[in-house]
Amino acid sequence: MCGIVGIVGKGPVNQAIYDALTVLQHRGQDAAGIVTWGEDGLNVRKSNGLVRDVFHQRHMLRLTGNVGIGHVRYPTAGGARSAEAQPFYVNSPYGICLAHNGNLTNSHELSQLLIRDDRRHLNTGSDSEVLLNVFAHELQNRINGKPTAEQIFDAVAAVHRRCSGGYAVVAMIIGHGIVAFRDPNGIRPIVIGQRETAAGMEYMVASESVALDILQFKRLRDIRPGEVVFFDNDGVMHSREYAGATRYAPCIFEFVYFARPDSIIDNLSVYKARLRMGEQLAGQIVREWPDHDIDVVIPIPDTSRTSAGQVAYHLGVKYREGFIKNRYIGRTFIMPGQAERTKSVRHKLNAIDLEFRGKNVLLVDDSIVRGTTSKQIIKLAREAGARRVYFASAAPPVRFPNVYGIDMPAVTELVASGRTVPEIQKIIGADRLIYLDLHGLIRSVRHDNSEIREFDTSCFSGEYVTANVTEEYLKRLELVRNDQAKSKRELRLHSRGGEAVSGEPDVAVDRSDTAVGM
């Protein structure tokens, strides 16, 4: 999962992009990058690390210009040291910079075609670089002089025909403007904002509406599935919907876990969706366990708080904060290695004994992926003196990998894969385990937007929106995503002093302290 932003402004955009990336930091903590364009040309700064660590005053001063894009990343393969920082760049035609959120499910085939037929050179194994080169090739085939909006639209339509998967893209065509588009299934989110200034209208695109809010851009609308939007350097917006087949199937896991609660995605409030998840979960508990003996509901911070509060309210029991979170520990289910994840949970949460001692406690989490965190948290609750520890998930069992840009582990590392709820309950050590069912989750999320008839629920249902997700593809994906493969890549990178190994899908990134012209 990544965060993207692009701004066409009437004044310098470096600080605005930086501020937007800070509020999108939850979408990726491995690497960050900003590219701007102005009278003195193109400037870039990107490196591994958090936004606040990558950009210092000397970098910001060099990121001049009224047009720019930014990116925060975590990798869908490999760990933090092997992250490929974006935006990526190609010099033909015009020079194009691109930032991408998502995953191409036919990246391997496309990379071979790009090299063999399109005569394009690829420097990395990143699907984002593949997508950039597909777009650049298609645009180059259509232009004669200055690119027109129609030529750009036709190039993106060709990208949609060639690329499969989930993707939201922002690209800067040097000297001409910013292009933003979304996959024809609308899996990955991207929203448009505008801001009136004395000098004229400014436009912005971002992964989540919260980035618009903090910069006081008015949320205009979401980019529709397959739609392409072009903001020229004069501040004029052009758009065209995709003429090919489209579906409106946004990723439902955005609402469960990834998106900030104050964001609105596809005209749906993430906060309201999580409130309703709690209501649905409470109703399910009452139906399945009418004689429950729950004394207190305690959330697993942070994303489950909204749902847990509603569970407590509708069950008529106390809601308490029982865990204090260290906010400087990363998300555990994407950490490489079981030992590292187990240690991280202990460092991440500490229990308040007073809220557990002698009580029957219902712990509520947004989801259960590997089960590592759940097992350790239940153990913490018992050590704090809980008499019984029940566990509830505000999402269904995660039984299948996500292939559209969320680094859910290999299917063999998912605790729910091939197991019944009682078996999972035993593994994590709960006295009772309750999952919100899929119908309840869908009802919770789509409540206010009848235009959306379906969601990408593949990690719960195993039903993938794109037709090319075969058993062969999933097996190949597992070879890349399992702990052993990730650890092997990390060791190889260490042994070469941070240099990438030829043929591996991850490379080291430029760590220079200065902005560079590209």
Side-chain angles (χ1 to χ4, degrees), residues 184-206:
N185 297 301
I187 298 173
R188 299 264 68 88
I190 185 168
V191 61
I192 306 169
Q194 63 181 20
R195 181 173 66 182
E196 187 82 49
T197 71
M201 190 67 73
E202 297 182 321
Y203 287 98
M204 176 178 177
V205 292

Side-chain angles (χ1 to χ4, degrees), residues 109-121 137-138 141 162:
E109 296 85 352
L110 280 173
S111 62
Q112 293 178 323
L113 290 172
L114 281 168
I115 295 169
R116 188 186 67 215
D117 298 341
D118 297 347
R119 304 298 182 184
R120 286 264 166 183
H121 176 73
H137 176 79
E138 296 298 338
N141 283 346
R162 294 182 67 179

Side-chain angles (χ1 to χ4, degrees), residues 332 338 341-343 345 368-377 413 415 428:
T332 53
Q338 182 71 18
R341 284 187 292 272
T342 301
K343 181 177 71 174
V345 173
I368 304 171
V369 181
R370 295 179 186 267
T372 307
T373 300
S374 307
K375 183 176 181 179
Q376 291 297 314
I377 287 172
E413 295 169 6
V415 70
I428 66 175

